[in-house]
Each structure stands twice: as structure tokens, then as C-alpha cells.
Amino acid sequence: MGILDRLSRLIRANLNDLLKRAEDPEKIITQALEDMRQALREAREKVAEAMAEEKRLRREEESYRSQAALWEEKAKEALRAGREDLAREALKRKRQALDLAEGFKAQADEQKALVDRLMIQLKALEAKIQEAESRKKLLLARKKGVEAAEELRRLESRLDAHPALEAFEEMEARILEMEDKHEAFKTMDQELTLEKELKALGEDQALEEELARLKREMGAG
């Protein structure tokens, strides 16, 4: 299992623990980002170590290639001195040095392949963190919107059942009742006034008729 895989498992474990404890969503998001940043720091250290190891292996390879070149020079010197036995021994040492150089080269090539894979994963992790940063802003904005709406709902609920509102509604009902009574009395007063006027008009008509009768009787006499 690679370093980034191990870090991913640790991140998931931390977040699962927070979820089980029903922590605040903002705390979970913040912790997730912090875990990812910590994973990124550790991953960079591991990549740096892997790159340093590749350089060390390359240096070992070059060192043994240099030694092989020196043993070849010594073989030439031995031949010039007429010492074929020493030349053979020098060439043997040269071959050993070249074998070791090839071994370190193979190790260095494998290390480079590992570094390349780690670099790809490292860049992917950096991209995920950038994406998470952007999503965090959006998620927190949505969370605040929900909290504001919920607070408004609770406020409206409290107002609907508030004693002051009930008293206000009761007073409104009383005032409406008073207005209705006033209109009723006003209507009755108008009806009484009309009745009086009609009665007075009737009495005036009776007087006129009585007066006319008396005039007729006196004129007849």
C-alpha cells in the first residue's frame, strides 16, 4: 500500500469518527480539509525522500562506473608492463564494478518510476484540495442559508403563538363589535327620526283637514 493510500485511510477514519459523534457539518468539512492538507505535507516529504533516494542510487551507479574506468586503465598499464596476470585481475575488477553499476542503475530506474507515480498522485491530491476549498465555501454558504431559514421558521412559530398577538386579535374583535353596535344604534336613531317626521306630517295633515272642515261649516252658516 502506498503512502497516499495509507493517508486516505486515515482521513476516512477521522471523518467517520466525527460523523458517528454527529459533529457540526462545518467542523467535519474543516477537519476534512485539514486532514487533506496534512496528507499533502506528508506526501511531499515522502516524495522528497524518494527523489533523494533516486539521486543516491544514481551517485552509486556513477561511482562504480568510474571505478570500472579506473580498472580498465590499470589493465592497460599492466599490459604495457607485460603483466597479463595483473591485466586479467584488473579486468575482473572492472567487470564487478560494471555489474554493481548496472545493479544500482536498475534500482535507480525503479526508484524514478516510483517518484513519477508519487508525483502524479501528489498533483491529484493538490487538485482535490483546491476543489475541496471551493466546495467548502459553497457548502458553508448553503449551511448558513438553511440555518437562517430555520431561525425564521422558529421565529414565525413563536410569533404565531405569542400572547401579545392573541391580545391584539382580541382587541381587534372587540373594536369590531363596538363598531357594529354603533352602526346598529345609528340605524335605530335614523328609523326613529323618520317615524317622528312621518307622525308629525300626519298630524299636520289632520289639522289642515280639521281647519278646512270648520271653514266649510262656518261658510255654510
Side-chain angles (χ1 to χ4, degrees):
M1 182 185 299
I3 177 63
L4 296 185
D5 291 332
R6 290 197 297 273
L7 293 174
S8 296
R9 289 169 66 89
L10 288 174
I11 291 173
R12 285 195 295 271
N14 289 340
L15 294 183
N16 287 336
D17 181 56
L18 290 175
L19 289 171
K20 288 179 181 177
R21 289 190 275 125
E23 293 286 355
D24 179 73
E26 182 173 354
K27 184 175 181 179
I28 293 175
I29 293 172
T30 301
Q31 184 61 50
L33 274 171
E34 179 55 34
D35 287 346
M36 292 176 73
R37 294 190 193 99
Q38 179 61 31
L40 180 62
R41 289 190 289 269
E42 294 181 16
R44 282 177 174 168
E45 290 180 4
K46 294 301 180 181
V47 171
E49 291 175 4
M51 294 175 71
E53 178 62 12
E54 180 193 353
K55 289 183 178 180
R56 187 189 70 79
L57 292 170
R58 296 294 182 193
R59 285 196 301 270
E60 291 287 349
E61 177 193 353
E62 291 302 318
S63 174
Y64 281 106
R65 291 193 186 282
S66 296
Q67 290 181 35
L70 289 175
W71 283 116
E72 183 171 344
E73 289 299 323
K74 288 182 178 180
K76 291 177 181 180
E77 290 178 4
L79 285 174
R80 283 194 290 268
R83 295 290 305 273
E84 288 188 9
D85 57 332
L86 292 179
R88 288 189 184 92
E89 185 63 27
L91 291 175
K92 185 187 297 183
R93 298 290 181 87
K94 172 191 173 183
R95 175 48 53 193
Q96 291 174 350
L98 286 176
D99 289 342
L100 288 171
E102 288 299 322
F104 278 109
K105 180 181 184 303
Q107 289 293 318
D109 289 343
E110 290 182 8
Q111 191 70 15
K112 183 180 186 306
L114 173 62
V115 169
D116 291 342
R117 290 196 301 271
L118 288 174
M119 286 298 295
I120 292 173
Q121 295 180 29
L122 190 62
K123 290 178 180 179
L125 181 56
E126 290 175 342
K128 286 182 180 180
I129 291 176
Q130 291 178 355
E131 179 186 358
E133 290 281 5
S134 300
R135 292 179 63 188
K136 174 187 176 183
K137 294 178 182 178
L138 176 59
L139 289 173
L140 293 184
R142 289 169 58 185
K143 174 178 176 286
K144 289 181 180 179
V146 171
E147 290 174 343
E150 179 61 19
E151 181 63 26
L152 179 60
R153 185 192 65 78
R154 289 196 295 267
L155 178 60
E156 289 175 343
S157 178
R158 289 197 299 270
L159 287 177
D160 288 342
H162 201 281
L165 184 60
E166 294 177 359
F168 182 84
E169 292 175 348
E170 183 180 349
M171 290 303 301
E172 183 179 21
R174 289 184 183 182
I175 291 172
L176 287 173
E177 183 181 356
M178 292 172 63
E179 290 176 343
D180 291 341
K181 286 183 179 180
H182 172 73
E183 289 296 327
F185 284 129
K186 184 177 179 181
T187 299
M188 287 189 292
D189 289 344
Q190 290 176 346
E191 290 177 352
L192 290 174
T193 300
L194 179 61
E195 185 179 347
K196 288 179 181 179
E197 290 178 352
L198 290 174
K199 183 178 179 181
L201 181 61
E203 291 176 352
D204 292 343
Q205 184 66 28
L207 287 175
E208 291 296 328
E209 291 177 355
E210 183 69 17
L211 179 61
R213 182 184 64 74
L214 289 175
K215 286 181 178 180
R216 286 195 299 275
E217 290 176 356
M218 291 176 64

